[in-house]
Amino acid sequence: MAGLPERLTKAAATSLLAGALGGAALLAGEMLAAKARRYAKPTMGLALRTSMGPAGAPPLRLVLLGDSAAVGVGVEWLADTVGGQLARLVADGTPETGPRHVLLSSVGVAGSRSMDLATQVARALLGTRPDVAVILIGSHDATSLRAPEEAAGHLAQAVRRLRSAGVQVVVGTCPDLGAMRSMAPPLRQIAGLLGRRMARAQAKAVTEAGGSVVDLGAETGTVFRADAGTLCYDGFHPSADGYRVWAHALYPAVAKATMSGV
């Protein structure tokens, strides 16, 4: 009987190792399956430009920066993108602001990470200075296992450059990746955890850099988890309904930015 504890210990260790290896194999398989999926691609090029609202209303230049969300991957019409829907809300205005003539553009690039924002900021500041910039970034940083603090540091640099140029900045942090149906459990749960870590680091960095923060995961994640229709066919990028949810979440901060002397 003296060897029983040792045998039990070895058996437990063997079971844990087998479980770990099995879990690792499962995750590896899910990662390969996620990578092999057919994902939506940009359909409108890198630069989106349009105007909304009465031509005689006070003008407001709104620019989007970031990843596929800033371009509108997952929908076919500009009006369905988060930028298009946000611009319509701003153009309609409030009793306090009245309607605005919104000049909308996007310098976002699908697949971008926070380190790519420096180039986008330079493009955004070419020519006439925008009044308000909305940055949507973080998903690819999180899923590529970038250190949250490093990615947030690049984001903070972009916010500071825009603020130094006199641009009001609103950042929509990493969305709820646990709501994405392109990944199966438990990979989906792990992605959700990584996304939340990224969002927390982003919120801290953006606030310190002088920007406004909208926690997209906290404010819209429940809707995305409950309604599969908020995602397009690939289960990763938002649909028109999903972008509408994001636009309404971003709008209060953007409306406040438009009244901040821009």
Side-chain angles (χ1 to χ4, degrees):
M1 295 294 291
L4 183 58
E6 289 82 0
R7 291 197 298 273
L8 290 174
T9 300
K10 288 182 179 179
T14 301
S15 297
L16 288 173
L17 178 60
L21 292 175
L26 175 62
L27 288 175
E30 290 181 357
M31 290 175 67
L32 290 174
K35 289 182 179 180
R37 287 179 67 96
R38 185 171 65 92
Y39 289 94
K41 298 183 181 299
T43 59
M44 293 168 288
L46 296 180
L48 306 177
R49 294 184 181 277
T50 191
S51 61
M52 296 185 183
L60 182 97
R61 293 177 173 82
L62 174 65
V63 62
L64 269 70
L65 303 87
D67 54 24
S68 56
V71 183
V73 174
V75 297
E76 297 183 0
W77 305 102
L78 177 56
D80 290 333
T81 66
V82 65
Q85 300 195 58
L86 188 56
R88 173 54 59 194
L89 291 171
V90 175
D92 290 342
T94 65
E96 292 78 18
T97 65
R100 305 295 294 265
H101 182 64
V102 180
L103 304 170
L104 171 68
S105 63
S106 173
V107 295
V109 180
S112 289
R113 300 181 179 91
S114 296
M115 63 185 297
D116 301 314
L117 287 174
T119 301
Q120 295 187 27
V121 170
R123 292 174 57 202
L125 294 177
L126 285 175
T128 305
R129 172 183 62 83
D131 299 306
V132 179
V134 175
I135 304 177
L136 302 170
I137 199 80
S139 295
H140 295 286
D141 290 299
T143 55
S144 60
L145 302 181
R146 300 283 175 176
E149 293 74 19
E150 177 186 354
H154 289 295
L155 174 58
Q157 291 176 10
V159 173
R160 289 191 184 96
R161 284 182 61 191
L162 289 166
R163 293 293 295 121
S164 296
V167 182
Q168 297 292 324
V169 182
V170 175
V171 175
T173 57
C174 184
D176 182 8
L177 299 181
M180 305 298 105
R181 290 166 173 79
S182 59
M183 297 172 281
L187 184 59
R188 187 186 300 174
Q189 283 75 15
I190 294 174
L193 175 62
L194 294 173
R196 289 191 294 274
R197 288 180 57 202
M198 184 64 65
R200 286 195 296 269
Q202 289 177 314
K204 182 176 184 295
V206 170
T207 300
E208 293 175 351
S212 298
V213 175
V214 177
D215 189 336
L216 288 180
E219 294 199 21
T220 70
T222 302
V223 178
F224 274 80
R225 286 173 182 258
D227 184 1
T230 54
L231 299 173
C232 74
Y233 69 84
D234 66 10
F236 183 81
H237 296 96
S239 64
D241 286 340
Y243 282 131
R244 184 177 301 111
V245 172
W246 280 1
H248 280 274
L250 291 163
Y251 175 66
V254 173
K256 183 177 180 180
T258 65
M259 300 171 63
S260 299
V262 296

